[in-house]
């Protein structure tokens, strides 16, 4: 077998293998096991799959290592075995190839986590993880690498960098696209093709996610913008649910006919992904033998990132943003949306707030994991019905990144401007402990997303046209148990684009002062949370059962003494403590967010001196 680089540029068409997972499943290996561990536990099963594909005509075979990176292996307690499992897989594929004219490709997929700026994993950590996997594959004797099913161009870049740390063997890089022909982050092949070509890979293409029709369209787009050899490895159609199992319905003949069309469009390597079998590869081999690629050479354009638009000045986005920009002290009140469908009581509360002259109303998003009317719609209804600006808390708990993107674009189009971005309380804190959470990204990733939208870019860096005009707020906790971690996350939020912050309820001024000293160099406006205590029980609950809230013993003692005189005395003392906190933060912070405890807006107004 000639070296892989020579093979990719010899002007001929080469057929790769099909799905490893599909074949392992058909042989009794089910989804609750680590497929990558089979390389040491059941090597004969893996070897037989390779041999079946080679007998079917495949001349490029992929190792059984798609998920064999430290992050995915960690789910099975196997991260320490990364190099061993990858080397074993390469050895199995090499043995299956024997002395035949077959190239072994080290298969590497995404890490299964989000990287910065939308996740907590750094690019450097990603590079190191990919380097460990590539090191094992190289030690096992692969002829080159195939980086496949990537949804994020920047994660693919990290993978290429990781491979290059340990090997100079040829690299095939493949993205995956959806039915709309774009990546998960909305990038079209015509855009990602030149960017990947500039990474120094030897071939690039598309695999997985869609069937032959979608991959053909992507190859046609790529052929117009890159000169590198192209690769095409579609699924066997889109999966259908049949008797509780996902079945791929495209026949070998259908796949083969599209393989021929892909070659005519410019593909030099064709193969298959999910659902494809040796029967599909055999049919594809027969169809493409007599076809030559018609990839017309073009001048590869230099990758050009989409131009970001300068965000609108903060003072022009909203009344709330204007007061922040001018450094004027803000007063807002937090109310919770209704549990039912009638917004009238909420409107009545907000009218009282407007009459009292507060700057905005804060609308939390499922606080304490309670099920209530949606915060975005509640905020929009408040602004339209009452005419008071809303600061909508938006949580990561219940939506994936694409769902958040849809929500935010719709909210921007409807005129919403003020956001407080939070990760969200876990469902186990609420009345539905068996509910599942998404947490696809956290508040740092969400801040990055909204900041990009304000610059007219989607998550993939693609131009959206008109930018959004959000005022971007984040949460911060001066009483965090792990203050070092809180400070790091606060710095990352500011780097991501935060324009103001709101604290958890403030009861301890000494603690607040220490925190402010630590963050004064950030020069970010900070709004203090003010919570009027209504009873001793309420104070004890906040002190002992609400994460991130500290209630000093002195405050608990004051509430205990007042409670001994009755409920009214306890409420009066709680309001008095809150008013003291409000007076104290006026020359320390940029504003105050006063909560309406248990929905009691008159109590919040009494704290503000508006009753």
């Amino acid at each position: 077998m000639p070296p892989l680089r020579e093979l990719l540029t010899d002007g001929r068409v080469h057929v790769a293998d099909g799905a490893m997972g599909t074949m392992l499943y058909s042989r009794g290996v089910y989804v609750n096991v680590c497929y990558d561990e089979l390389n040491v536990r059941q090597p004969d099963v893996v070897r037989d799959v390779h041999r079946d594909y080679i007998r079917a005509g495949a001349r490029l075979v992929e190792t059984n290592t798609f998920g064999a990176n430290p992050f995915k292996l960690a789910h099975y307690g196997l991260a320490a075995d990364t190099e061993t499992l990858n080397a074993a897989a390469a050895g199995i594929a090499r043995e299956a190839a024997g002395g035949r004219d077959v190239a072994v490709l080290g298969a590497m997929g995404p890490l299964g986590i989000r990287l910065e700026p939308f996740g907590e994993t750094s690019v450097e950590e990603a590079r190191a993880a990919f380097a460990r996997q590539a090191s094992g594959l190289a030690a096992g004797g692969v002829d080159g690498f195939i980086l496949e099913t990537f949804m994020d161009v920047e994660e693919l870049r990290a993978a290429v960098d990781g491979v290059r740390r340990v090997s100079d063997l040829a690299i095939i890089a493949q993205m995956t696209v959806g039915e709309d022909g774009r990546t998960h982050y909305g990038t079209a092949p015509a855009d990602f093709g030149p960017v990947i070509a500039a990474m120094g890979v030897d071939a690039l293409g598309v695999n997985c996610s869609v069937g032959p029709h979608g991959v053909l369209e992507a190859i046609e787009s790529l052929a117009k913008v890159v000169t590198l050899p192209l690769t095409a490895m579609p699924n066997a159609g889109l999966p259908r649910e049949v008797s509780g199992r996902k079945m791929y319905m495209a026949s070998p003949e259908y796949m083969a006919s599209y393989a021929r069309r892909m070659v005519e469009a410019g593909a030099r390597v064709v193969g298959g992904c999910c659902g494809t079998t040796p029967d599909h590869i055999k049919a594809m081999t027969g169809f493409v033998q007599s076809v030559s690629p018609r990839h017309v050479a073009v001048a590869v354009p230099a990758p050009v990132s989409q131009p970001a638009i300068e965000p609108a000045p903060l003072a022009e986005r909203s009344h709330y943003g204007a007061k922040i920009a001018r450094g004027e002290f803000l007063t807002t009140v937090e109310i919770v949306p209704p549990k039912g469908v009638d917004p009238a009581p909420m409107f009545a509360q907000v009218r009282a707030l407007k009459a009292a002259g507060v700057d905005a109303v804060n609308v939390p998003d499922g606080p304490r994991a309670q099920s209530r009317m949606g915060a975005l719609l509640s905020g929009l209804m408040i602004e339209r019905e009452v005419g008071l600006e809303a600061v909508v808390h938006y949580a990561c708990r219940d939506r994936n990144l694409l769902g958040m993107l849809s929500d935010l674009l719709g909210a921007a189009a409807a005129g919403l401007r003020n956001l407080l971005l939070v990760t969200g309380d876990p469902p186990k804190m609420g009345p539905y402990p068996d509910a599942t959470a998404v947490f696809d990204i956290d508040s740092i990733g969400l801040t990055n997303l909204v900041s990009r939208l304000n610059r007219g870019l989607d998550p993939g860096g693609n131009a959206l046209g008109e930018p959004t005009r959000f005022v971007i707020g984040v949460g911060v906790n001066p009483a965090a148990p792990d203050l070092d971690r809180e400070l790091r996350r606060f710095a990352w939020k500011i780097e991501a684009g935060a324009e103001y912050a709101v604290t958890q309820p403030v009861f301890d001024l000494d603690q607040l002062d220490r925190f402010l000293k630590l963050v004064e160099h950030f020069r970010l406006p900070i709004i203090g949370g003010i919570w009027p205590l209504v009873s001793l029980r309420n104070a004890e609950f906040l002190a002992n059962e609400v994460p991130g809230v500290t209630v000093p013993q002195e405050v608990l003692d004051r509430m205990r003494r007042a409670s001994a005189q009755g409920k009214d005395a306890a409420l009066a003392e709680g309001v008095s403590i809150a008013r003291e906190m409000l007076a104290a933060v006026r020359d320390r912070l940029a504003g105050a967010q006063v909560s309406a405890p248990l929905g009691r807006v008159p109590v919040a107004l009494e704290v503000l001196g508006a009753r």
Side-chain angles (χ1 to χ4, degrees):
M1 191 73 176
L4 183 57
R5 284 197 178 91
E6 182 180 334
L7 179 149
L8 292 171
T9 57
D10 63 9
R12 297 165 54 200
V13 178
H14 300 280
V15 178
D17 58 8
M20 174 61 74
T22 297
M23 295 304 295
L24 291 174
Y25 185 86
S26 72
R27 297 177 189 205
V29 180
Y30 299 113
V31 294
N32 59 342
V33 301
C34 176
Y35 276 39
D36 305 296
E37 192 182 15
L38 297 175
N39 298 316
V40 295
R41 288 191 176 276
Q42 294 180 262
D44 290 343
V45 177
V46 178
R47 188 181 299 108
D48 287 345
V49 173
H50 288 315
R51 286 173 173 164
D52 285 349
Y53 277 121
I54 292 169
R55 281 192 289 266
R59 290 298 173 262
L60 289 85
V61 295
E62 299 184 29
T63 56
N64 176 40
T65 53
F66 176 77
N69 64 68
F71 285 96
K72 285 187 175 179
L73 290 175
H75 294 300
Y76 302 95
L78 297 171
D81 299 320
T82 297
E83 292 83 356
T84 300
L85 293 175
N86 281 279
I92 292 169
R94 175 61 63 203
E95 183 182 346
R100 285 174 286 237
D101 197 22
V102 174
V104 174
L105 305 180
M108 299 172 60
L111 298 176
I113 52 174
R114 290 198 188 279
L115 307 188
E116 57 182 351
F118 302 118
E120 294 187 0
T121 303
S122 71
V123 173
E124 178 53 34
E125 289 173 312
R127 292 189 190 111
F130 285 122
R132 286 188 61 190
Q133 185 176 8
S135 177
L137 290 168
V142 297
D143 297 302
F145 300 88
I146 182 164
L147 314 180
E148 58 184 359
T149 322
F150 280 79
M151 298 180 287
D152 178 2
V153 173
E154 293 310 311
E155 184 178 8
L156 178 59
R157 188 191 305 278
V160 172
D161 291 345
V163 171
R164 284 289 172 252
R165 286 186 176 182
V166 298
S167 174
D168 61 357
L169 292 174
I171 296 175
I172 297 172
Q174 296 186 140
M175 296 292 290
T176 190
V177 298
E179 292 183 67
D180 62 353
R182 295 173 175 267
T183 70
H184 182 72
Y185 284 164
T187 309
D191 294 322
F192 68 66
V195 175
I196 296 172
M199 296 178 191
V201 300
D202 298 272
L204 65 92
V206 176
N207 78 296
C208 202
S209 294
V210 291
H213 177 78
V215 170
L216 173 61
E217 291 187 339
I219 291 297
E220 290 172 337
S221 296
L222 287 172
K224 297 175 182 177
V225 295
V226 298
T227 56
L228 286 179
L230 300 178
T231 63
M233 301 180 187
N235 289 347
L238 296 175
R240 297 182 186 177
E241 198 79 19
V242 179
S243 300
R245 292 178 57 189
K246 285 186 176 181
M247 305 291 289
Y248 292 85
M249 310 305 290
S251 68
E253 292 74 19
Y254 178 80
M255 289 281 288
S257 67
Y258 261 91
R260 182 170 185 165
R261 295 170 67 179
M262 291 171 195
V263 171
E264 292 174 340
R268 293 283 181 85
V269 176
V270 292
C273 204
C274 302
T276 54
T277 67
D279 288 338
H280 292 91
I281 299 305
K282 183 177 181 179
M284 294 168 72
T285 301
F287 264 69
V288 304
Q289 282 178 340
S290 61
V291 188
S292 297
R294 300 176 185 173
H295 188 172
V296 179
V298 296
V300 180
V304 178
S305 58
Q306 294 288 352
I309 300 171
E310 190 67 25
L314 185 60
E316 296 178 10
R317 295 183 222 162
S318 69
H319 164 74
Y320 185 78
K323 291 202 73 169
I324 292 175
R326 293 194 297 266
E328 298 177 15
F329 193 84
L330 279 160
T331 56
T332 69
V333 172
E334 179 181 293
I335 64 169
V336 292
K339 289 186 175 180
V341 297
D342 182 11
M346 177 177 68
F347 292 155
Q349 289 179 321
V350 178
R351 288 190 181 97
L353 297 177
K354 183 180 180 182
V358 301
D359 294 301
V361 57
N362 287 79
V363 185
D365 186 11
R368 305 287 297 160
Q370 299 279 336
S371 178
R372 292 179 177 272
M373 188 179 291
L376 285 178
L377 287 176
S378 295
L380 287 167
M381 287 191 295
I382 286 170
E383 293 191 348
R384 292 183 178 181
E385 180 71 20
V386 182
L388 182 64
E389 281 193 3
V391 179
V392 173
H393 301 201
Y394 191 72
C396 303
R397 177 187 57 237
D398 307 315
R399 312 157 183 90
N400 64 19
L401 183 144
L402 293 182
M404 295 182 202
L405 177 62
S406 297
D407 280 353
L408 293 166
L409 291 175
L416 198 68
R417 295 290 178 263
N418 309 308
L419 295 176
L420 181 66
L421 308 177
V422 296
T423 299
D425 296 322
K428 290 187 182 299
M429 293 178 63
Y432 306 104
D434 294 329
T436 56
V438 179
F439 293 125
D440 189 24
I441 57 176
D442 65 3
S443 56
I444 299 169
L446 182 55
T447 304
N448 272 295
L449 173 63
V450 178
S451 180
R452 289 189 180 206
L453 295 179
N454 273 0
R455 300 197 304 274
L457 301 176
D458 73 3
N462 309 293
L464 285 171
E466 185 70 21
T468 57
R469 299 169 67 89
F470 291 121
V471 178
I472 304 173
V474 297
V476 67
N477 185 9
D482 187 347
L483 190 57
D484 287 340
R485 180 176 184 271
E486 184 71 10
L487 291 170
R488 287 196 304 272
R489 287 182 58 81
F490 189 46
W492 291 335
K493 290 175 184 180
I494 295 169
E495 182 182 348
E499 295 168 315
Y500 72 96
V502 177
T503 74
Q504 291 276 49
V506 175
F507 294 101
D508 187 334
L509 289 176
D510 290 339
Q511 185 181 63
L512 176 65
D513 286 338
R514 289 193 296 272
F515 178 79
L516 293 177
K517 187 67 175 176
L518 293 172
V519 300
E520 63 182 355
H521 61 285
F522 291 126
R523 301 187 181 280
L524 190 80
I526 297 177
I527 295 169
I530 304 294
W531 184 288
L533 299 168
V534 296
S535 65
L536 174 61
R537 180 177 296 180
N538 179 217
E540 291 176 334
F541 171 74
L542 288 174
N544 295 285
E545 298 189 40
V546 178
V549 176
T550 297
V551 182
Q553 187 60 46
E554 178 190 351
V555 171
L556 292 173
D557 292 342
R558 287 178 62 177
M559 291 301 297
R560 185 172 290 107
R561 290 192 295 269
S563 294
Q565 302 173 39
K567 291 183 178 180
D568 290 343
L571 175 59
E573 185 67 2
V575 169
S576 177
I577 292 169
R579 294 187 73 164
E580 291 170 16
M581 292 298 108
L582 177 60
V585 302
R586 281 191 176 274
D587 57 2
R588 287 175 166 89
L589 301 176
Q593 174 185 295
V594 182
S595 294
L598 307 177
R600 298 162 72 171
V601 167
V603 174
L605 291 177
E606 188 173 353
V607 172
L608 291 170
R611 179 181 173 186

